[in-house]
């Protein structure tokens, strides 16, 4: 027996997101979609987020460009350009409190995720920051991720899994995965395990040091690269 929270990152994608939504609707399941701002700015993609919201799924902010992890960036306006711009695109589809997920360049849970300026912005704007404890790397193993995901679910009481509604072919196996979750006695829920939420409604509820690079350190790293 285990609990599972499903999240889908990096969409919306016209060739994949409707397929995922159809499966979730047939099974009466709710998930969270962490969207990319520059995709949401496209009308044909925004309508998919609107559909997800209308069907009871939560819409979260996953940055505007999904380019460089924030812990490796030192611009003073990175929060405005990446988080605020995306939130403007999300608009009335937003949750309360607003949801934000950083990206770690392949699922890394370390100091590449955030910098101090971003943390200040998230707390000031009263975001809930949602991390994860399961990355089956569906984008990297579109044919074999199901067994990896199931093994990760069975390894803990409550899994917060990151999947991707991207055109890799991985989501063709979503229904199989959900069948296996049911067979294993898994329960799918929409809320998040507390240990995966270091900031809740603008308040740091867990130590942030494991996820934060100081802006000065990020600036020095960028300078060394330049």
């Amino acid at each position: 027996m285990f609990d599972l929270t499903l999240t889908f990152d990096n969409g919306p994608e016209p060739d994949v997101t409707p397929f995922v939504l159809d499966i979730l609707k047939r099974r009466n399941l709710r998930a969270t979609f962490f969207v990319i701002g520059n995709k949401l700015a496209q009308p044909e993609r925004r309508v998919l987020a609107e559909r997800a919201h209308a069907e009871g799924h939560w819409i979260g902010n996953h940055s505007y460009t999904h380019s460089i992890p924030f812990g490796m960036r030192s611009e003073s306006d990175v929060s405005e350009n990446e988080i605020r711009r995306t939130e403007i695109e999300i608009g009335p589809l937003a949750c309360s409190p607003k949801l934000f997920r950083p990206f770690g360049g392949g699922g890394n849970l370390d100091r590449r995720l955030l910098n101090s300026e971003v943390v200040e912005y998230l707390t000031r704007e009263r975001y809930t920051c949602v991390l994860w404890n399961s990355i089956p790397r569906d984008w990297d193993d579109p044919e074999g991720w199901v067994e990896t995901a199931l093994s990760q679910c069975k390894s803990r009481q409550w899994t917060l899994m990151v999947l991707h509604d991207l055109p890799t072919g991985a989501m063709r196996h979503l229904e199989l995965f959900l069948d296996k979750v049911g067979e294993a006695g898994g329960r799918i829920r929409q809320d998040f395990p507390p240990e995966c939420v270091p900031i809740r409604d603008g308040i740091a509820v867990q130590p942030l040091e494991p996820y934060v690079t100081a802006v000065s350190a990020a600036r020095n790293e960028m300078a060394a690269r330049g």
Side-chain angles (χ1 to χ4, degrees):
M1 298 286 290
F2 55 83
D3 286 351
L4 169 64
T5 298
L6 290 170
T7 63
F8 296 88
D9 286 10
N10 296 11
E13 287 287 342
D15 293 335
V16 184
T17 307
F19 177 76
V20 170
L21 289 172
D22 288 346
I23 291 174
L24 297 177
K25 185 175 182 178
R26 284 197 300 270
R27 293 171 177 259
N28 195 31
L29 299 175
R30 303 290 181 269
T32 301
F33 289 80
F34 286 96
V35 299
I36 305 299
N38 62 14
K39 293 185 177 182
L40 204 60
Q42 303 169 36
E44 69 275 16
R45 295 171 188 260
R46 179 177 180 80
V47 71
L48 301 177
E50 291 173 346
R51 174 187 166 187
H53 178 264
E55 294 178 0
H57 305 291
W58 294 341
I59 306 298
N61 186 323
H62 197 38
S63 83
Y64 197 83
T65 65
H66 199 272
S67 54
I68 301 172
F70 290 169
M72 300 173 66
R73 298 180 66 165
S74 60
E75 311 98 296
S76 61
D77 58 355
V78 64
S79 295
E80 290 287 324
N81 288 336
E82 292 286 352
I83 302 175
R84 183 173 181 274
R85 285 177 74 192
T86 301
E87 205 63 43
I88 290 171
E89 295 295 342
I90 292 173
L93 307 182
C95 294
S96 179
K98 298 172 295 213
L99 303 178
F100 171 75
R101 168 173 280 167
F103 65 100
N108 300 298
L109 276 173
D110 58 26
R111 293 190 172 190
R112 282 170 282 192
L113 289 182
L114 301 166
N115 66 37
S116 55
E117 185 270 331
V118 170
V119 169
E120 181 182 351
Y121 183 87
L122 294 175
T123 54
R124 183 176 70 248
E125 298 297 322
R126 299 187 63 177
Y127 275 88
T128 289
C129 181
V130 182
L131 302 181
W132 56 88
N133 59 21
S134 170
I135 299 274
R137 299 185 67 85
D138 55 302
W139 75 92
D140 190 45
D141 186 16
E143 299 302 322
W145 69 269
V146 168
E147 291 304 321
T148 301
L150 194 63
S151 176
Q152 291 176 358
C153 287
K154 292 177 178 179
S155 71
R156 58 178 56 87
Q157 184 176 354
W158 189 356
T159 294
L160 200 171
M161 183 171 292
V162 179
L163 297 174
H164 299 80
D165 48 332
L166 293 173
T168 62
M171 290 302 97
R172 292 197 306 263
H173 306 296
L174 178 60
E175 198 125 46
L176 172 64
F177 172 61
L178 295 176
D179 284 343
K180 287 181 175 290
V181 167
E183 292 166 4
R187 179 180 68 156
I188 296 178
R189 54 196 293 181
Q190 193 171 19
D191 55 334
F192 309 119
E195 65 270 21
C196 294
V197 183
I199 300 173
R200 188 179 295 276
D201 199 9
I203 299 172
V205 294
Q206 294 184 37
L208 298 178
E209 288 78 8
Y211 313 116
V212 181
T213 296
V215 169
S216 57
R219 183 177 295 116
N220 291 339
E221 182 174 346
M222 294 293 284
R225 291 183 171 195

